[in-house]
Amino acid sequence: MSQRGEPFDRFAAAQSESRRSAVRLGSKAGHEKRTEVLFRDYVDPDSLRRLAGEIKQHTLDHLDLYLERAQARLEANGAQVHFAADAEEACRTVLEILKSRGAKRVVKTKSMATEEIELGAFLERHGVESLETDLGEFIVQLDADKPSHIVKPIMHKDRREVARTFEGHGLGAYDDTPEVITRRAREHLRRKYLEADAGITGANFISAESGRLVLVTNEGNSRFCLAATRCHIALVGIEKLVPRDRDLGLFLNLLGRSATGQALSVYTEFISGPRGAAQPDGPEAMHVIFLDAGRSEILAGDAREILRCIRCGACLNVCPVYRQASGHAYRGVYSGPVGAVLTPLLAGEHFPEFADLPRASSLCGACNEVCPVDIPIPDLLLRLRDRGKRAGVKPAGAAPSMKSFARLASRPAAWRRALRAGRLLGLIPGPLRPRALRVWGANHVLPPWRGGAFRAWMAERKRKQP
Ligand code: SF4
């Protein structure tokens, strides 16, 4: 496929057909499962989505209050609370905690915030071994690859590719049997849990009322990270708060069903603080780092609703653009419709590097319809497009503007002539077509012209009517 067009198109085109097909099938299956389970279990899932969206929006609108409340509760529970304004400060804070404990090895559970600030690479540069323990993330780390999906990071890989990776890293001779792959990963990871000095997690939610930190996984790796290590560091975006413990029921029910079509994820942990005097195991120290890294700025802007996101991945699974392009085209930790909004916003005010992302959408609205916290993603994409346009940001390789199309479409005579010409255009060999169409056509397939012109058909129909 050609390498022209916007960066999004180029990254999408760089994916092999087998990878694209794996993402297409995986996301379609994820969406079908989510819909089946949600509508099987609830009479009116939409009212739950709206309620969850209102609770999250309320929390965001009073975030200063809830952050203070959560800090007070966490400290009363024995945790130490830190605030990090940006990625650099967050990474340094983690490193200082580890240094103060003489920690040299850490195990991590899947945490998008740590990926966002590239914590693993930072720690490695400072002599700390950092290992991902979620199976998908572990494979991504071995391959020095990037996740292609928020919930299923290796959706783009098949078991043969994973078996080759394991063989290449000394994890046994090639064997692509799924049970063998998971058993080998388990044996390797269990040794690492026992050797580790600290466990680093994110959090799906934190209740401001009790300071309870909630983690959900399907592999139990977060439990191992916390049971075997003596220090727990949780790096959490400031938007992860919910006001009360009772809100957690709603969010956990929506998260499991929206993410994987499960009534509840297999492991749901509620962590209130470090190990108590009467408890036999668990970390003796707990640190919670609240990460800003651009979130306050997003909160002050006109796309603040995106901070409601609970990272379920449902909008990716339903998105026709994501299904064709796969997650790597979004070039950030967050992919799909949520990534098309969040990645540019986290990058800064005018996001020239990611200006193509808000345009990578058909605005069909499916992402909004499935979002468990009712984020109006198409509206946010339009606001970002507008913001980019006002700032004069033009993505590299952008197609010519729609101005010429608008001029044409608003002049009936010119439009009729253009339609006649359009019919002939399909007969012109690709390289001889006008430049605008060559750029657009680099990553799009123009369907062959079939049938007659609609206007002629309509005129004929009217003529025949009595
Ligand atoms: S934007 Fe909504 S649907 Fe998409 S990942 Fe976030 S919560 Fe899920």
Side-chain angles (χ1 to χ4, degrees):
M1 221 184 255
S2 166
Q3 293 299 296
R4 287 174 297 180
E6 298 194 355
F8 185 88
D9 296 325
R10 293 203 303 274
F11 275 84
Q15 295 297 306
S16 68
E17 185 45 42
S18 68
R19 286 188 161 200
R20 270 206 295 269
S21 154
V23 169
R24 215 160 32 235
L25 294 174
S27 49
K28 183 169 177 287
H31 172 62
E32 286 168 359
K33 190 104 185 284
R34 168 246 172 222
T35 309
E36 179 196 324
V37 172
L38 207 53
F39 284 86
R40 178 197 70 194
D41 295 348
Y42 296 113
V43 179
D44 184 8
D46 283 346
S47 63
L48 294 181
R49 296 192 309 112
R50 279 194 293 276
L51 176 62
E54 281 164 19
I55 294 174
K56 277 301 260 185
Q57 194 58 50
H58 163 85
T59 320
L60 293 170
D61 292 344
H62 302 87
L63 196 55
D64 49 348
L65 169 84
Y66 287 117
L67 272 172
E68 275 178 21
R69 200 171 283 176
Q71 179 184 11
R73 288 309 311 168
L74 281 160
E75 287 173 350
N77 295 346
Q80 291 181 55
V81 178
H82 315 255
F83 289 89
D86 53 27
E88 172 73 18
E89 192 178 352
C91 287
R92 294 247 159 246
T93 307
V94 174
L95 189 62
E96 276 161 27
I97 296 167
L98 295 175
K99 273 188 179 166
S100 71
R101 303 186 60 86
K104 288 279 176 212
R105 284 174 294 254
V106 300
V107 277
K108 282 175 70 221
T109 57
K110 184 165 177 275
S111 151
M112 311 230 70
T114 60
E115 283 171 34
E116 193 186 310
I117 63 170
E118 299 182 349
L119 179 65
F122 176 88
L123 293 179
E124 295 284 348
R125 283 201 300 278
H126 289 83
V128 178
E129 183 189 299
S130 164
L131 185 79
E132 297 290 345
T133 60
D134 171 270
L135 180 58
E137 289 289 335
F138 173 58
I139 292 162
V140 164
Q141 187 180 21
L142 288 179
D143 275 344
D145 195 358
K146 295 265 184 220
S148 62
H149 191 278
I150 288 180
V151 178
K152 300 165 190 157
I154 53 164
M155 190 185 259
H156 59 297
K157 292 181 194 286
D158 63 20
R159 60 196 163 95
R160 286 171 286 281
E161 202 173 334
V162 175
R164 281 196 294 275
T165 298
F166 272 39
E167 187 182 32
H169 286 84
L171 295 173
Y174 180 93
D175 190 330
D176 60 21
T177 317
E179 290 77 10
V180 173
I181 290 173
T182 45
R183 195 180 62 238
R184 285 175 177 172
R186 188 164 55 212
E187 282 162 8
H188 179 76
L189 290 172
R190 289 208 174 170
R191 270 200 312 278
K192 294 291 185 182
Y193 289 126
L194 294 172
E195 290 168 8
D197 305 303
I200 299 181
T201 72
N204 292 89
F205 308 101
I206 292 191
S207 160
E209 178 186 35
S210 63
R212 245 179 219 122
L213 187 146
V214 183
L215 279 171
V216 303
T217 69
N218 275 318
E219 298 166 20
N221 50 319
S222 59
R223 190 164 293 189
F224 274 109
C225 279
L226 302 185
T229 56
R230 301 179 66 186
C231 174
H232 173 200
I233 303 173
L235 188 87
V236 186
I238 53 174
E239 77 282 17
K240 293 291 176 139
L241 291 169
V242 296
R244 302 160 304 178
D245 283 10
R246 60 183 291 198
D247 300 321
L248 293 169
L250 173 65
F251 286 105
L252 287 170
N253 274 293
L254 282 173
L255 178 60
R257 287 173 176 84
S258 303
T260 48
Q262 293 167 286
L264 200 60
S265 303
V266 179
Y267 299 91
T268 303
E269 286 161 75
F270 298 85
I271 301 154
S272 295
R275 177 174 80 201
Q279 291 171 319
D281 52 26
E284 62 200 18
M286 178 179 176
H287 295 262
V288 177
I289 303 170
F290 282 111
L291 175 71
D292 188 317
R295 286 158 172 80
S296 295
E297 215 169 300
I298 297 174
L299 196 57
D302 61 358
R304 66 182 71 86
E305 295 96 325
I306 199 65
L307 293 177
R308 294 182 202 162
C309 175
I310 58 172
R311 315 282 191 259
C312 72
C315 59
L316 281 69
N317 292 340
V318 77
C319 176
V321 176
Y322 172 86
R323 283 188 188 174
Q324 292 298 325
S326 148
H328 290 85
Y330 295 83
R331 314 187 306 279
V333 175
Y334 308 102
S335 51
V338 60
V341 177
L342 197 51
T343 301
L345 287 172
L346 288 172
E349 201 183 350
H350 297 316
F351 47 81
E353 197 187 335
F354 297 110
D356 57 320
L357 293 188
R359 300 153 60 102
S361 169
S362 63
L363 301 176
C364 67
C367 47
N368 177 224
E369 282 171 23
V370 298
C371 178
V373 281
D374 197 24
I375 301 175
I377 296 177
D379 292 349
L380 304 189
L381 289 168
L382 285 173
R383 283 176 217 164
L384 290 198
R385 288 182 191 184
D386 184 52
R387 200 191 290 185
K389 193 164 185 299
R390 282 172 197 277
V393 177
K394 201 172 177 198
S401 83
M402 295 296 283
K403 269 190 194 153
S404 38
F405 174 79
R407 265 200 303 273
L408 193 65
S410 54
R411 291 176 173 76
W415 179 248
R416 277 195 292 276
R417 278 199 298 278
L419 282 182
R420 277 198 292 275
R423 244 173 298 163
L424 298 173
L425 206 61
L427 305 174
I428 301 175
L432 300 181
R433 286 180 191 171
R435 185 182 169 276
L437 273 177
R438 285 203 311 274
V439 170
W440 184 86
N443 296 298
H444 301 78
V445 180
L446 198 62
W449 190 275
R450 289 206 181 90
F454 174 76
R455 283 163 188 271
W457 173 82
M458 196 61 168
E460 179 67 8
R461 193 162 181 267
K462 274 192 185 153
R463 198 176 58 76
K464 283 184 182 166
Q465 268 174 359

